[in-house]
C-alpha cells in the first residue's frame, strides 16, 4: 500500500491554532459523550412514558404509544434531524422560527433532541416488552393490595421491568452514542466530524479514522463494563433473569 | 404557514427523485441485504463451527463493526476501498471506485455483522436433534447445514431479517455524507438548487415513512402467519 | 360481608365464564370454593375485589358495591386481603419491604409502624429470621406464608385465597394450611378456592361447588361431604378423594 503513514501527526498543531490534532479529536470525543448523554436522558424519559402507555390495558393509550413508536421508527434518523433542523423553524410562527434559527449551539440541541426522540421509540419498545414479560399476577397482587395503577408501576412493575431489560438498554445506549455521529450532517463536529476535519486538513486519512475508531471502541468498553457493574449491583439475590 | 411554500417543485423533480435517487437507494438496499445475508451467514457458521480461532476472528469482526457508527464506517471504506482494489488487482496506484460500488462494499461489510447475529440466533434456535438426525442419515456437516439447519433457521428468522432490511433501507440515506445522490441526496440537491428545503425534506420524510410503514406492516402480517403455522 | 348476586361474565362476545352466580359469605364465616379447572372459581373470587370486571349482577363488600364506578377501588381492595396461587411476592423487595410497601403507600402508615406490624406478622407465620432476605431465597411454602402475612398486614376485614397451595410441592402444603387453619379459628372471614378437602372438612362452614361457570352446589359442610346432591359434585369428590 503506497500510503505515507505518519503517526506523529496527532502531536502536530492543528490549523485552528488551538492545540494539536489530538486535542481536536478529544474535543470531538467530549462532544460525542455530551450529546449522547443528553439524548439518552431524553430517550429514557419519553421512552418510559410511551412504554408505559403501550402496556396499559386502555386501547386508546396503547394506540397512542403505537403511533408514537411507528412515527419515529419509520423515518431515517438523518431525515428526522433534517426535519428538526431545517423544516421545523420554517413551519413555526416567524418569531419562534427566528428564535430557533438563532439559537446558539443549534446543532447540539437538535442532535440531542433528535437522537433522543429517535431512541425513545426503541426504549419504549424494550420497556413495553419488559413489562409484558412480567407475570400477570404481579400487577394483580399490587392491585389487590390497594395500590393504584400509578403506584403499581412506580413500585412494582417498573423496577422489575427495568432490571429485566438492562442488557438491551445497554446496547440501545451504545446505539445512542453511535447515532450522534449522524448529526455531522447538521454541522455537529463530534468525534466522527473531527476525524473527518483532521483528514481534510492533514490528508492523514487512516490515522484520523483509526484514532476515532479506537475512541469509539473505548467508549464501548467503558459503557459495557459500567453497565455490567450496574447490572450486578441491581441484581436480586436468588432471582435469575431471563430464565 | 404553508403560504409561501411551493409544492410543485416536488412534481417537477419526481423523475429525478425516483428514477435516479430511489432506484439507487433500492438497488443499494437490495444488494446490500443479499450480500450482508450471505456474508453474515458465513460469519455465523464460523462462530458456531467449533474451531476456536475461526470463531474468535468472526466474533471480533462482529463486535468491532457493531461498536462503530455507520457514518464512520462509510468514511473508512470510502477511503479504504481504492487501496483494497489496488491490492487485489496489483495495480500501481489506488484504483478509482464509483460511489455505488464503494457504498455497496460498505453496507455489505457493515450489515454482515448484524445479519450474522440474527442467523446465529436462528441456527441456535434449531433443536440439536435436527443436525443429529441429519448425521444419522449419513449427511455430512456441510450437507446438514445446507439442507436441514440453514433453511429452517432462515425461515424462522425471516421476519427479523426483513425488519433489519427495513433498518438498512433507512440507513442507506447516510451515504448523504459522501454527497451521493441516493433518494435523500437527490431530494437534498433539488432542495438546495431551488431553495426549497422545507418542501423537499417533508416529501422525503413522507416517502421514507410510507415505504417503511408498508414494509413493516407486511412483516407483522408475515409474522402472524408464521406464528399460526407453528 | 360478601354478597354476590346474579353475576354474569363473558370473555369476548360468546364465551361465558360465570353464569348467574349468587352466594354470600357472612362475617367470620369460612367458605371453600371447589370445582374442576376451568369452572370459573378463580374468576369468581377475583371478581370480589374487582381484579376481574364482570358485565351483569352485583357484588357488595361490607356494604359497598364493588361494580359501582363511583367506588374507590384501591381503598376497597386495601381492606380485603388476597393470596395468589403463585405467591406474587415482589421479587425486587426484601421480605419485610414486601410487607411494608402497601402499608405505607396505601394506608399511609409510618415506616416504623409498618415495620413493627410486619415483624409481628412474620413472627406469627414463623419467618421472622428471613425478614431481610429476598423472595427468591425462600422456598415456595415460605413465600406463600409471607404472602399471607403481607395480606394480613393491611388489617383486612376478609381474606380471599386463590388456590394457595396448588403451586406448592406436596411437602410444603401443610405449613401453609396450618397458617390458614389458625386464621380460620381466630374468626377471620375467608373465601378459599382450593382442592384441599382436608382443609375444607376441618375449618370450612360452607362448601361451594362450581362447574362450567355455574354454582352447582352451595351447602353446609356436613351436607356437602355427607351427600352432595348433584352428580357432578359427587363425581368431582370421588376423583379428588380417591388419591
Amino acid at each position: 500500500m503506497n500510503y505515507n503513514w505518519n503517526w506523529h501527526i496527532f502531536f502536530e498543531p492543528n490549523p485552528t491554532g488551538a492545540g494539536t490534532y489530538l486535542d481536536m479529536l478529544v474535543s470531538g470525543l467530549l462532544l460525542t459523550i455530551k450529546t449522547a448523554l443528553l439524548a439518552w436522558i431524553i430517550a429514557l424519559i419519553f421512552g418510559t412514558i410511551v412504554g408505559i402507555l403501550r402496556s396499559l390495558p386502555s386501547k386508546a393509550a396503547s394506540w397512542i404509544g403505537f403511533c408514537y413508536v411507528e412515527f419515529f421508527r419509520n423515518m431515517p434518523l438523518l431525515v428526522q434531524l433534517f426535519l428538526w433542523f431545517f423544516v421545523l423553524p420554517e413551519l413555526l410562527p416567524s418569531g419562534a422560527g427566528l428564535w430557533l434559527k438563532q439559537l446558539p449551539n443549534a446543532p447540539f440541541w437538535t442532535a440531542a433532541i433528535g437522537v433522543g426522540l429517535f431512541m425513545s421509540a426503541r426504549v419504549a419498545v424494550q420497556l413495553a416488552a419488559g413489562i409484558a414479560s412480567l407475570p400477570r399476577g404481579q400487577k394483580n397482587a399490587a392491585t389487590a393490595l390497594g395500590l393504584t395503577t400509578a403506584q403499581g408501576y412506580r413500585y412494582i412493575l417498573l423496577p422489575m421491568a427495568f432490571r429485566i431489560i438492562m442488557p438491551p438498554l445497554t446496547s440501545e445506549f451504545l446505539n445512542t452514542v453511535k447515532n450522534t455521529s449522524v448529526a455531522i450532517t447538521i454541522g455537529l463536529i463530534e468525534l466522527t466530524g473531527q476525524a473527518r476535519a483532521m483528514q481534510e486538513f492533514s490528508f492523514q486519512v487512516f490515522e484520523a479514522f483509526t484514532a476515532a475508531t479506537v475512541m469509539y471502541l473505548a467508549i464501548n468498553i467503558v459503557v459495557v463494563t459500567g453497565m455490567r457493574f450496574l447490572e450486578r449491583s441491581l441484581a436480586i439475590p436468588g432471582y435469575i433473569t431471563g430464565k | 404557514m404553508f403560504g409561501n411554500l411551493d409544492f410543485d417543485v416536488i412534481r417537477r423533480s419526481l423523475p429525478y427523485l425516483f428514477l435516479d435517487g430511489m432506484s439507487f437507494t433500492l438497488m443499494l438496499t437490495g444488494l446490500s441485504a443479499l450480500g450482508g445475508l450471505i456474508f453474515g451467514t458465513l460469519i455465523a457458521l464460523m462462530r458456531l463451527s467449533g474451531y476456536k480461532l475461526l470463531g474468535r476472528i468472526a466474533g471480533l469482526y462482529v463486535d468491532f463493526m457493531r461498536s462503530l457508527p455507520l457514518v464512520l464506517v462509510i468514511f473508512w471504506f470510502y477511503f479504504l476501498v481504492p487501496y483494497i482494489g489496488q491490492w487485489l488487482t496489483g495495480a500501481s496506484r489506488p484504483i478509482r471506485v464509483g460511489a455505488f460500488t464503494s457504498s455497496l462494499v460498505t453496507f455489505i461489510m457493515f450489515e454482515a455483522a448484524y445479519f450474522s447475529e440474527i442467523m446465529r440466533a436462528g441456527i441456535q434456535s434449531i433443536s440439536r436433534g435436527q443436525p443429529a438426525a441429519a448425521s444419522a442419515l449419513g449427511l455430512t456437516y456441510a450437507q446438514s447445514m445446507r439442507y436441514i439447519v440453514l433453511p429452517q433457521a432462515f425461515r424462522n428468522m425471516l421476519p427479523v431479517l426483513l425488519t433489519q432490511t427495513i433498518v438498512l433501507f433507512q440507513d442507506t440515506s447516510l451515504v448523504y455524507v459522501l454527497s451521493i445522490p441516493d433518494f435523500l441526496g437527490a431530494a437534498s440537491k433539488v432542495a438546495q438548487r431551488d431553495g426549497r428545503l422545507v418542501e423537499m425534506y417533508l416529501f422525503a420524510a413522507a416517502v421514507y415513512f410510507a415505504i417503511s410503514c408498508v414494509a413493516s406492516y407486511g412483516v407483522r402480517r408475515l409474522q402472524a402467519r408464521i406464528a399460526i403455522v407453528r | 360481608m360478601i354478597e354476590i348476586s346474579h353475576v354474569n361474565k363473558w370473555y369476548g362476545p360468546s364465551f361465558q365464564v360465570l353464569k348467574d352466580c349468587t352466594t354470600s359469605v357472612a362475617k367470620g364465616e369460612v367458605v371453600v370454593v371447589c370445582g374442576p379447572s376451568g369452572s370459573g372459581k378463580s374468576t369468581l373470587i377475583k371478581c370480589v375485589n374487582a381484579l376481574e370486571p364482570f358485565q351483569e349482577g352485583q357484588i357488595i363488600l361490607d356494604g359497598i358495591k364493588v361494580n359501582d364506578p363511583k367506588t374507590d377501588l384501591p381503598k376497597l381492595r386495601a381492606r380485603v386481603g388476597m393470596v395468589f396461587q403463585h405467591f406474587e411476592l415482589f421479587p425486587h423487595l426484601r421480605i419485610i419491604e414486601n410487607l411494608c410497601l402497601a402499608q405505607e403507600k396505601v394506608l399511609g402508615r409510618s415506616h416504623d409502624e409498618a415495620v413493627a406490624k410486619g415483624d409481628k406478622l412474620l413472627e406469627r407465620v414463623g419467618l421472622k429470621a428471613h425478614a431481610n432476605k429476598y423472595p427468591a431465597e425462600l422456598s415456595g411454602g415460605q413465600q406463600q406464608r409471607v404472602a399471607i402475612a403481607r395480606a394480613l398486614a393491611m388489617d383486612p376485614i376478609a381474606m380471599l385465597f386463590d388456590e394457595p397451595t396448588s403451586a406448592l410441592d406436596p411437602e410444603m402444603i401443610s405449613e401453609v394450611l396450618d397458617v390458614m387453619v389458625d386464621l380460620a379459628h381466630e374468626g377471620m372471614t375467608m373465601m378459599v378456592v382450593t382442592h384441599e378437602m382436608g382443609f375444607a372438612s376441618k375449618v370450612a362452614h360452607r362448601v361451594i361447588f362450581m362447574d362450567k361457570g355455574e354454582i352447582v352446589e352451595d351447602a353446609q359442610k356436613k351436607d356437602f361431604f355427607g351427600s352432595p346432591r348433584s352428580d357432578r359434585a359427587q363425581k368431582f369428590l370421588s376423583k379428588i378423594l380417591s388419591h
Side-chain angles (χ1 to χ4, degrees):
Chain A
M1 230 163 89
N2 49 359
Y3 175 81
N4 294 316
W5 293 93
N6 174 16
W7 292 103
H8 295 294
I9 186 75
F10 295 117
F11 305 105
E12 288 169 23
N14 70 48
T16 64
T20 60
Y21 277 110
L22 185 63
D23 294 330
M24 232 169 106
L25 290 172
V26 169
S27 80
L29 173 68
L30 293 178
L31 187 57
T32 288
I33 294 172
K34 229 168 76 178
T35 316
L37 283 180
L38 182 55
W40 185 238
I41 292 169
I42 294 169
L44 278 183
I45 294 172
F46 284 84
T48 303
I49 296 170
V50 175
I52 292 172
L53 280 180
R54 278 184 65 132
S55 73
L56 287 173
S58 147
K59 277 226 172 78
S62 58
W63 190 77
I64 293 171
F66 174 80
C67 288
Y68 181 96
V69 168
E70 289 299 298
F71 181 83
F72 286 105
R73 256 215 315 212
N74 283 324
M75 264 184 276
L77 173 59
L78 175 53
V79 173
Q80 294 187 27
L81 291 183
F82 279 6
L83 288 185
W84 299 129
F85 196 71
F86 296 116
V87 177
L88 183 69
E90 305 295 333
L91 295 184
L92 290 172
S94 57
L98 201 63
W99 175 79
L100 259 187
K101 276 189 249 182
Q102 291 170 343
L103 205 66
N105 277 338
F108 168 72
W109 295 109
T110 311
I113 295 170
V115 173
L117 291 178
F118 177 78
M119 293 307 301
S120 73
R122 307 179 57 148
V123 172
V125 171
Q126 299 289 3
L127 180 63
I131 294 172
S133 77
L134 297 174
R136 245 180 76 90
Q138 287 283 301
K139 196 176 182 177
N140 273 343
T143 311
L145 280 169
L147 295 172
T148 60
T149 304
Q151 286 173 324
Y153 273 92
R154 161 78 182 78
Y155 297 110
I156 310 300
L157 299 180
L158 291 183
M160 280 310 293
F162 271 112
R163 279 183 173 84
I164 290 173
I165 64 168
M166 205 68 105
L169 277 191
T170 304
S171 46
E172 294 301 0
F173 177 57
L174 289 172
N175 285 335
T176 309
V177 175
K178 289 186 279 174
N179 279 335
T180 54
S181 69
V182 176
I184 193 178
T185 57
I186 54 168
L188 187 77
I189 315 294
E190 39 63 78
L191 182 50
T192 304
Q194 291 288 17
R196 180 96 166 108
M198 174 171 166
Q199 165 252 317
E200 274 172 352
F201 291 133
S202 70
F203 301 106
Q204 300 302 133
V205 189
F206 296 124
E207 291 86 342
F209 290 160
T210 302
T213 300
V214 168
M215 288 182 182
Y216 278 113
L217 291 179
I219 296 180
N220 263 271
I221 292 169
V222 170
V223 170
V224 169
T225 314
M227 287 299 272
R228 218 170 270 161
F229 184 75
L230 185 66
E231 243 176 272
R232 219 170 291 152
S233 69
L234 289 177
I236 300 159
Y239 188 85
I240 305 139
T241 39
K243 57 205 137 152
Chain B
M1 82 187 187
F2 288 103
N4 45 13
L5 295 186
D6 169 24
F7 283 99
D8 194 53
V9 65
I10 296 168
R11 192 190 55 76
R12 277 181 275 129
S13 50
L14 277 184
Y16 174 57
L17 287 178
F18 282 91
L19 296 182
D20 291 27
M22 189 50 91
S23 68
F24 182 100
T25 293
L26 291 179
M27 188 89 99
L28 181 58
T29 305
L31 291 179
S32 304
L34 191 67
L37 180 63
I38 293 170
F39 271 97
T41 306
L42 289 177
I43 293 170
L45 288 176
M46 279 169 73
R47 289 192 85 170
L48 299 171
S49 65
Y51 296 104
K52 264 218 176 101
L53 185 66
L54 216 54
R56 236 352 208 305
I57 294 171
L60 271 178
Y61 178 81
V62 171
D63 290 344
F64 182 72
M65 272 300 176
R66 287 170 25 119
S67 303
L68 296 182
L70 179 51
V71 178
L72 183 63
V73 177
I74 290 174
F75 284 141
W76 255 120
F77 277 98
Y78 180 71
F79 292 103
L80 202 56
V81 167
Y83 286 96
I84 299 174
Q86 178 195 15
W87 178 66
L88 284 178
T89 58
S92 58
R93 334 188 65 239
I95 59 165
R96 303 178 118 247
V97 178
F100 184 78
T101 315
S102 169
S103 348
L104 185 60
V105 172
T106 309
F107 277 94
I108 289 179
M109 299 307 277
F110 187 74
E111 290 301 324
Y114 288 82
F115 278 114
S116 83
E117 287 293 273
I118 299 172
M119 285 310 288
R120 187 164 72 121
I123 294 169
Q124 284 174 328
S125 74
I126 308 296
S127 84
R128 275 157 200 267
Q130 289 288 316
S135 350
L137 287 169
L139 270 67
T140 62
Y141 176 78
Q143 284 173 324
S144 103
M145 276 295 161
R146 163 76 185 77
Y147 296 107
I148 311 297
V149 176
L150 286 181
Q152 293 187 60
F154 179 76
R155 210 189 51 199
N156 291 354
M157 287 294 134
L158 191 56
V160 191
L161 290 169
L162 289 173
T163 303
Q164 182 62 31
T165 305
I166 298 173
V167 173
L168 166 63
F169 165 69
Q170 297 183 11
D171 279 350
T172 57
S173 65
L174 288 173
V175 298
Y176 174 90
V177 297
L178 300 178
S179 313
I180 292 172
D182 71 321
F183 180 67
L184 182 67
S188 168
K189 278 213 167 86
V190 175
Q192 273 154 26
R193 188 194 64 201
D194 296 355
R196 291 290 168 196
L197 267 62
V198 175
E199 297 87 335
M200 292 313 291
Y201 288 149
L202 276 178
F203 180 66
V207 170
Y208 276 111
F209 185 75
I211 294 177
S212 305
C213 265
V214 170
S216 49
Y217 174 74
V219 173
R220 275 199 298 274
R221 286 279 302 265
L222 179 74
Q223 216 161 7
R225 255 198 13 217
I226 290 178
I228 291 169
V229 172
R230 269 201 211 129
Chain C
M1 182 68 68
I2 304 170
E3 299 284 343
I4 301 170
S5 43
H6 305 292
V7 168
N8 283 303
K9 176 177 170 67
W10 288 266
Y11 282 135
S14 55
F15 181 60
Q16 189 167 5
V17 264
L18 294 179
K19 294 177 192 158
D20 197 36
C21 292
T22 300
T23 187
S24 67
V25 182
K27 190 168 169 12
E29 194 174 28
V30 176
V31 173
V32 163
V33 184
C34 61
S37 62
S39 59
K41 52 196 192 306
S42 279
T43 309
L44 181 67
I45 200 170
K46 284 192 183 115
C47 284
V48 172
N49 60 352
L51 284 185
E52 291 273 359
F54 51 91
Q55 285 82 17
E56 287 174 10
Q58 69 170 10
I59 295 180
I60 292 176
L61 193 58
D62 194 33
I64 299 163
K65 194 171 160 193
V66 171
N67 52 325
D68 183 340
K70 288 196 286 287
T71 301
D72 182 353
L73 281 178
K75 205 172 152 196
L76 185 67
R77 287 180 182 128
R79 301 176 61 209
V80 192
M82 185 158 202
V83 176
F84 296 86
Q85 181 177 2
H86 296 286
F87 332 135
E88 305 301 351
L89 295 182
F90 304 132
H92 61 299
L93 300 178
R94 292 173 193 277
I95 297 305
I96 187 70
E97 292 168 335
N98 260 280
L99 268 72
C100 290
L101 179 76
Q103 289 191 66
E104 293 172 36
K105 303 299 170 195
V106 179
L107 301 181
R109 288 180 185 155
S110 73
H111 183 65
D112 292 346
E113 203 182 341
V115 170
K117 178 98 189 170
D119 272 342
K120 217 171 76 193
L121 284 161
L122 282 180
E123 178 133 47
R124 170 174 173 172
V125 296
L127 293 170
K128 185 140 191 262
H130 300 285
N132 283 315
K133 288 192 178 166
Y134 284 89
E137 298 175 287
L138 268 54
S139 74
Q142 291 172 325
Q143 289 193 49
Q144 194 61 301
R145 278 144 66 198
V146 171
I148 295 173
R150 179 176 74 179
L152 291 175
M154 305 294 284
D155 290 322
I157 53 171
M159 289 282 286
L160 307 172
F161 292 83
D162 184 8
E163 306 210 28
T165 55
S166 45
L168 291 175
D169 292 336
E171 74 271 18
M172 295 176 181
I173 290 178
S174 66
E175 61 184 88
V176 171
L177 288 180
D178 287 347
V179 173
M180 292 168 63
V181 168
D182 283 349
L183 210 53
H185 287 324
E186 281 167 28
M188 174 61 80
T189 309
M190 292 163 69
M191 185 164 174
V192 185
V193 172
T194 185
H195 288 166
E196 294 296 331
M197 288 303 130
F199 171 80
S201 62
K202 203 189 272 176
V203 295
H205 299 103
R206 272 175 37 239
V207 179
I208 292 172
F209 174 74
M210 287 184 74
D211 190 19
K212 297 182 180 128
E214 282 173 291
I215 293 181
V216 179
E217 197 131 353
D218 184 347
Q220 294 299 314
K221 173 175 68 187
K222 63 176 191 320
D223 297 335
F224 184 80
F225 287 113
S227 54
R229 278 159 290 178
S230 67
D231 277 359
R232 283 191 273 182
Q234 268 170 17
K235 240 190 226 146
F236 177 76
L237 269 183
S238 69
K239 269 191 204 147
I240 288 275
L241 298 176
S242 68
H243 48 230

